[in-house]
Amino acid sequence: MKKKQFVALLQIKDVKNKNRLLMKLSLSLYLLGCLQLSAINSFFQNKISLDVKDTHLEIIMQLIESQTEYHFIYNNDAIKTNQKLDITVFKEDLDETLQLLFKRLSIKYTLKKNHIILSTTKQNNTQEKFTLSGTIKDAATGETLLGANIIIKDKSKGVITNEYGFYSITLLNDSYFLQASFMGYETKEIEIVLDQNRKLNIELQPSANELDEVIISSESKSKSQVQSTLLGVVKMRGVDIKKLPALLGEPDVTRAILTQPGVSSVGEGASGFNVRGGNIDQNLILLDEAPIYNSSHVWGFFSIFNSDAIKNLKLYKGGIPARFGGRASSVLDIRQREGSNKKFKGEGGLGLLFSRLTLEGPIKKDKISYLISGRRSYFDLFFPLLGDEVKKNRVYFYDLNTKLTWNINDNNKLFASGYFGADVMKLNFDGYTQEDGTKTADEKINFQWKNATATVRWNHLFSDRLFMNLSGIYSQYNYSLSSQDDSGGGPAGTSGSFTWKSSVENWIFKPDFTFYQSPSSKIRFGINNTLYKFTPAKISSTEEGTNTVNFETEKGLEVAPYIEYEKKEKKFSINAGLRYSWFGNIGPHKVTSYDPAFSLSVSSILGTEEFKKGKVIKNYSGFEPRLSLKYNLNDRKALKIGYNRVFQYVHLISNTAAALPFDIWKPSGTHIKPLEVNQFSSGYAYDTSNNIYNLSFEGYYKTFKNMLEYKNGADLFINKNLETQLLPADGYSYGAEIGLHKNKGKLKGNVNYTYSVTKRKTTSSFINENINGGTYYPSNYDKPHFFNLTANYKLSEKWSLGTFFTYQTGRPTTQPTGRIVVDGITHLTYSDRNAYRIPDTHRLDLSFNYTPKGNPNTKWESNWSFGLYNAYGHKNAFSTYSSFNNNQLKTFQFSVIGSPIPFITYNFKF
Amino acid sequence: MKSLYKYISIVLISLLLISCSTEIALKTEFVPQTFIYGNLTNEASYLVITIQESVPVENTSNLPKPVSNASVALYTKNSSGTTSLVTGSFIEDNENYISVPLIAPIIGNSYWIEVTLQDGTVFKSVEEKLKNVIPIDTVTKVDGFTRVHFNDPVEDRNFYKLDVASSGNGISSWIYELSNDILFNGNENAFIEVESLLGNEIEATLLNFNYETYQFYLNIVAQEDAQSDGEEDEGGDPSQLFASPPVHLTGNILNTTTNRKALGNFGVVSVSRRHENIASIFPEEINNLIYYTGNKLSNTVIINTQGGPEPKLATQEFNEILSSVNTISLLKVNVHQAQTLNPQLFTNSEITFQQATSYDAESIEKLYKVIKYFKDQGKTVYVLGISFGAFMVQELIAEKGIDLADNYLIMVGRLDMNDTYWQGFSLGQDGHFENGITPVLVDQTEIVKKNMSKLAAGLGQNRYTQKLNQYPDLSKITYIYGKVDEAVGKLTQAEIDFLTSKNAKVIEGPRNHSQTIDDYIVEGFKEAFNIE
């Protein structure tokens, strides 16, 4: 303790600057040291008794010092100690005494260690305020760092950089020591004299290796939930995702998120993820701010995000700030890297499934940089070797991430980024010879689904304190299925081609402003404008007797202004926001009207009402309040409480266990109300001293209004009157999540346990069509007990071991209860929806990473990763199903992965 | 080395298909439920209503458990809204309740049943209207599927069930398919198809459902689909990933005592039936020479000899060309040419021009044989030739007589091909006409293309203004050409004058080769064959 202060004094003496304020500071620090020495022998007690009248403040302060081990620290210019006061207390707490004493004087006090630091709460006219702002970057690549800390030493003030690496802090005219830190980087200390508004761009050196990180990043609290005001926010970096053992060795964003508490999925291989009882369509998945509609390759097995191109991601599952909206349960904010603006670099990998390559570098040094990152699966390249039957087929998927960053000047930056990814299946089936000797036609099937996004963003500083980001975004998801017969001739046979296309498109225009009001507070405001275009189905066929079907496109406009206020104090922090969202369906469109006396059905159609182009057909709007409060019990303990309301105006229509790539999206409208979700949450965060362990405990209660459920036997395939197959539903979910992170040492990782309940009931006013008679039943992904363990163990300089273990309650299922006979054929009767559960599931994954010492003379670095997915080969049930054959009922358990899957990946960097 | 890669890729693929299914024990509680089922059709019959109670799944008997002492009543409402009891007298026979009177329902009226159990529980079906009967036009066999064609009414949403029973060679089997009319609403040539069964004697039944009953049958299909997956499987069944929740067999029956849906359905259904033999009725020697679609019993046959020349018999292009003309009730035939029957003779080595000429003669004989077969059956035969097919038809008429077929439609051909052009082709060159007049020749290297050029020259060398001059009247011919045809050139004035002098109809299109085909096929069929 004393040694540290001594070092600080020495450092200050070295400083050449002879600024008066600095001298004063050094003096008071010196004084502090002396006082501390003298305090060693003083009588330790914290109860104070005073009874003085018309006494100088200075004297009262001396009296307090004499009765406690505390000492006052203050600036003589700011605090007038010659004013006279009365005070009477008897065996009172120090805190109470100080409150009584200073509350009339506009003097603020802070207790730190055994110091009482005094400051004025009034605006001090003699001292002007100036703003320090700039960007924090990686010194090696020029990549901006998001969420890096800038701490004003000894002021216990700090800010973090925003999504674009920008920070701004306004302080009194003075000289300061800044500490800039970020996990995985060496902390940098900078002295600055703030006698005018200043720009300070800081570059941090990546730490040379993990061991250094342990020492240097002791201030960084990346897994700590104590700092963040918001509840339930998970942060991950691209490198964190790569450390997890992965299916076929392919680092995967969705699977990484599934290691977190409160996040579940229906089962292995199911697309998307469920956050705190929300459906998969309730996650706002943003890639460089562009919403993504289908986040999976290979029918749900792999996420579409290339971890090489990802800088970091943030999952908001509890406190969703007002700047986000449109999806009701969570926000997954993924940011792409910008590419090095210093030197050309590359990295890549060869795996069992994908090969990856990323190239980045400056176009103009320090000014313009690019990043291009692609992946392609390549097992189909081996198809020709598998014989004629397989040879003609093509099954592959690929994605491409690109980004261009232009640092125009300190006040302007331009980013352009794009994503394109597709799954392609081209299958050729040879015709076969029928019993009568004729041959059927060859058939070609071409099935593809694609995501494409394009984002252009402009960062502009209006002043040092007003930051603007203007985004123009286009996002599209589409799929197409075409088949073509090509008869080889023969007496009978026909031919025809058939294509089916469907898409959803978004155009977004979004100005966002941040005003840095004070070092501890900022205001964000802006407006999100989204134009949606849904093309449900376009079907054409050349075959005689078949029509061309072209379901009308649906257009929707969502406009959502918001304002968000964020303040962080020593004890209290608040993030309060209000969002107002308006959604309207825009013509031209024909709306079917139904007889209100009957449930929506083809037989209750009365007619259609036609709306002209540009006309608002139906609109919904509402206020969405967001509030998060945090109270710090001390530096390492915090209590949090929060409330959110979110409206959602687009819905994924899917009635299958795992969502299909050709499920369609549908906007709210005349027959479908917007989903409303309210969430109450509270939490407790605790960091052990020196931050080795971070513990968090959170609880939530969520209500869902106007979810979509499906009628018994719903027919959703190319259905023009989709609303006739839907039922409105309300639901609730609640749960408790406990997470423990270990951040340092050879063994790092986290364990978490979640208890949760997720239920819903259909609320049709025609009660006989309600599922389970209108009573609550568990959602498909309701898994009450959920345990995850992730660990990384550094075996040696070259070797490390990664493990992941999960245990989950089996998901609900519907089982047969009896039999009936229809036209001589046995059929089953079933229990209520989701009345039973499939067996519990558990799985262990292991990975070994080997990083050989590279040749120091070349830039080439490489590592090998290999391991086992589902290491002990447990057959985890995805579902159970029963069938009645040969007069006997048999029940089966279906496992997507029923054995251990080994993997090996080679990664390189240059 | 190759086998190593093969091994690797098999491993990779199997990694993705590592799923499996294993049998497990089912723990479930039995809940008895009542199931009520019956259909009323427009065909007069005794109405049968089945009432049964579900049995535990462990019960291996395939016999339904009857519910006795229930009372059943059938009600109707006519178009003016008057409700009346049709009958309340049913005879109990195990699980079946059979109406005492014969029921002859009226199209346009609504019907429903009420069932009261011994314990007083009342079930009622939702009123359903007896819809119009949709007659089956024809049954065809197409590419492994049996198609049932009908005229779908445009004003109504229709929901169909097609039952196809087939018998022959001592085997009989049946299959059904459900379909709404989204893909063919209002289409005169609408069809539903099922996989072809063994046997050529087809008994097709088309049921026109109300929506609720259709939904009930969809539920039955959903259950049957789920049942068919029920074998223990090493590879598992990845479709389980995308399984919908199990479907209750509910339809339009309501338990009015609890106001919940009950199992079962009472359908009011209009039915049409058609019996047809779909065996190929042509002798094998003809069967081997043709591709056909449509109604093979039709008295009118459209016979096409295809363009190109191509080494493959066109089927899709053939259908596409015909799709703009309403020919659903007719038989349409595309006849093989020498190079489509034996493509390997043309793909491997280069043929001589002399050989090409004799292959063309072979093709003419095949075309003649097919036309003669149908004429001998007493049918009306229309012959269509487009592009190279045009030359084929001209040669056919020149060699076999103008009275062979009833009418001829010749599109985008030439009577007297430009000499340099066909001579170039006879050497295996390719070419085109600039502005439809000036010939341009280009070399080509691919053997098969060279051979096809030679086949084209084999007919292009003939002067049809001379070869057809033998006939005083060519009024059976309709001739369509393009003014800027790049493939064969436009007709010269001499050619046009020849045709008009012989009373042939000549139509000029303003555009190129393929555009002329697209633009004038409809008009050509009208002019030549009087088919709209």
Side-chain angles (χ1 to χ4, degrees), chain A residues 493-494 543 547 721 819 821, chain B residues 52 61 142 147 157 187 291:
Chain A
T494 186
E543 201 152 22
N547 295 356
N721 299 95
R819 304 196 296 104
V821 181
Chain B
Q52 52 177 294
S61 138
V142 172
R147 269 186 194 179
R157 289 285 174 92
N187 197 310
Y291 162 82

Side-chain angles (χ1 to χ4, degrees), chain A residues 434 436 441 491 493-495 543 547 657 712-713 721 725 815 819 821 823 826 828 884 891 893 895-896, chain B residues 19-20 22 37 52 55 59 61-62 141-143 147 157 183 185 187 211 215 223 227 248 250 291-292 316:
Chain A
Q434 300 176 91
D436 61 4
T494 186
S495 53
E543 201 152 22
N547 295 356
N712 179 48
N721 299 95
Q725 305 297 314
Q815 288 189 349
R819 304 196 296 104
V821 181
D823 291 336
T826 290
L828 299 174
F884 194 86
T891 300
Q893 159 188 320
S895 309
V896 176
Chain B
S19 58
C20 66
T22 38
Y37 172 68
Q52 52 177 294
V55 295
N59 186 329
S61 138
N62 194 28
K141 194 174 171 188
V142 172
D143 207 19
R147 269 186 194 179
R157 289 285 174 92
L183 289 176
N185 185 34
N187 197 310
Y211 173 71
Q215 185 65 46
Q223 270 214 8
Q227 302 300 304
H248 298 283
T250 53
Y291 162 82
Y292 71 86
Q316 190 182 331

Side-chain angles (χ1 to χ4, degrees), chain A residues 382-490:
Chain A
F382 297 107
F383 280 3
L385 306 170
L386 293 177
D388 288 345
E389 209 145 295
V390 187
K391 187 163 89 180
K392 292 191 208 156
N393 298 323
R394 281 274 169 274
V395 178
Y396 60 93
F397 34 102
Y398 62 92
D399 43 50
L400 185 70
N401 297 64
T402 54
K403 192 155 177 174
L404 195 68
T405 307
W406 182 16
N407 286 312
I408 302 167
N409 55 36
D410 272 347
N411 290 335
N412 293 288
K413 268 188 187 184
L414 206 60
F415 304 87
S417 54
Y419 170 84
F420 185 81
D423 280 57
V424 179
M425 257 159 284
K426 288 183 183 166
L427 307 175
N428 289 282
F429 299 101
D430 287 340
Y432 58 93
T433 307
Q434 300 176 91
E435 301 81 18
D436 61 4
T438 58
K439 200 167 173 263
T440 63
D442 295 350
E443 199 178 6
K444 290 179 200 151
I445 288 180
N446 185 345
F447 181 30
Q448 311 197 347
W449 66 91
K450 296 172 190 159
N451 276 294
T453 73
T455 310
V456 177
R457 283 172 296 167
W458 175 39
N459 282 184
H460 177 68
L461 280 181
F462 284 102
S463 77
D464 297 326
R465 294 167 68 180
L466 184 61
F467 175 89
M468 181 194 71
N469 174 59
L470 190 68
S471 303
I473 300 159
Y474 172 73
S475 171
Q476 187 201 43
Y477 175 66
N478 71 57
Y479 59 82
S480 67
L481 174 68
S482 64
S483 77
Q484 198 170 59
D485 285 348
D486 196 3
S487 168

Side-chain angles (χ1 to χ4, degrees), chain A residues 248 268-269 299 301-302 352 379 382-383 385-386 434-436 439-441 484-497 539 542-547 549 551 601-603 605 655-660 712-715 718-721 724-725 767-768 772-773 814-833 836 875 878-885 887 889-899 901-902, chain B residues 2 5-6 9-10 12-13 15-16 18-31 33 35 37 52-57 59-64 141-145 147 157 159 180 182-187 189-191 196 198 211-212 214-215 218-220 223-224 226-227 229-232 236-238 240-250 254 259-261 263 287 290-293 312-313 315-316 319-320 323 325-328 332:
Chain A
L248 298 180
E268 183 76 56
W299 305 85
F301 279 87
F302 299 96
L352 293 176
F379 55 78
F382 297 107
F383 280 3
L385 306 170
L386 293 177
Q434 300 176 91
E435 301 81 18
D436 61 4
K439 200 167 173 263
T440 63
Q484 198 170 59
D485 285 348
D486 196 3
S487 168
T494 186
S495 53
S497 65
I539 297 162
T542 58
E543 201 152 22
E544 197 175 7
T546 309
N547 295 356
V549 176
F551 286 173
S601 127
V602 172
S603 41
I605 292 176
N655 191 28
T656 48
L660 283 160
N712 179 48
D715 178 19
I718 319 184
N719 194 325
K720 197 172 178 180
N721 299 95
T724 61
Q725 305 297 314
I767 53 173
N768 61 53
N772 291 3
T814 310
Q815 288 189 349
T817 54
R819 304 196 296 104
I820 49 174
V821 181
V822 186
D823 291 336
I825 295 169
T826 290
H827 287 266
L828 299 174
T829 64
Y830 285 94
S831 68
D832 274 355
R833 174 84 56 92
Y836 293 85
K875 290 181 178 173
F878 177 87
S879 64
T880 59
Y881 58 100
S882 300
S883 71
F884 194 86
N885 280 329
N887 268 354
L889 185 89
K890 282 187 170 182
T891 300
F892 302 95
Q893 159 188 320
F894 169 67
S895 309
V896 176
I897 290 175
S899 55
I901 301 185
Chain B
K2 192 177 166 182
Y5 284 127
K6 186 169 176 173
S9 24
I10 289 171
L12 288 178
I13 290 165
L15 282 182
L16 285 177
I18 205 113
S19 58
C20 66
S21 294
T22 38
E23 190 173 348
I24 56 167
L26 178 75
K27 286 178 213 135
T28 184
E29 280 171 40
F30 171 65
V31 187
Q33 284 173 282
F35 175 77
Y37 172 68
Q52 52 177 294
E53 191 182 277
S54 64
V55 295
V57 283
N59 186 329
T60 55
S61 138
N62 194 28
L63 293 174
K141 194 174 171 188
V142 172
D143 207 19
F145 288 89
R147 269 186 194 179
R157 289 285 174 92
F159 303 94
N180 59 28
I182 282 183
L183 289 176
F184 50 72
N185 185 34
N187 197 310
N189 303 323
F191 65 85
S196 283
L198 284 176
Y211 173 71
E212 280 76 12
Y214 175 72
Q215 185 65 46
L218 277 184
N219 294 348
I220 287 201
Q223 270 214 8
E224 284 174 0
Q227 302 300 304
D229 301 333
E231 285 308 308
E232 186 150 7
D237 179 8
Q240 281 295 321
L241 269 173
F242 307 110
S244 302
V247 172
H248 298 283
L249 283 193
T250 53
L254 279 183
N259 201 9
R260 281 181 77 157
K261 275 204 173 189
L263 297 181
N287 227 4
I290 59 172
Y291 162 82
Y292 71 86
T293 70
K312 190 176 177 194
L313 189 67
T315 52
Q316 190 182 331
N319 284 321
E320 274 172 22
S323 67
V325 191
N326 183 11
T327 57
I328 187 68
K332 293 144 287 185

